[in-house]
Amino acid sequence: MYDAICSQCGVATQVPFSPRADKPVYCQDCYKTVAGRRTRT
Ligand SMILES: [Zn+2]
């Protein structure tokens, strides 16, 4: 796991992949929200 900062709420979180500058990183809560929004389109 890698330490990362959530791009949505700014909380410290951990992700199973290496954080990349060109990709936003989300904590578990925000990931659900963002993923839910995306599939809703
Ligand atoms: Zn978050």
Side-chain angles (χ1 to χ4, degrees):
M1 297 294 276
Y2 299 83
D3 290 321
I5 300 298
C6 176
S7 297
Q8 181 79 1
C9 67
V11 76
T13 186
Q14 288 194 317
V15 292
F17 52 87
S18 182
R20 293 181 53 168
D22 61 336
K23 289 250 186 182
V25 174
Y26 301 110
C27 64
Q28 290 192 349
D29 285 344
C30 291
Y31 185 80
K32 285 184 207 162
T33 305
V34 174
R37 270 188 205 156
R38 269 194 183 170
T39 50
R40 265 193 151 189
T41 316

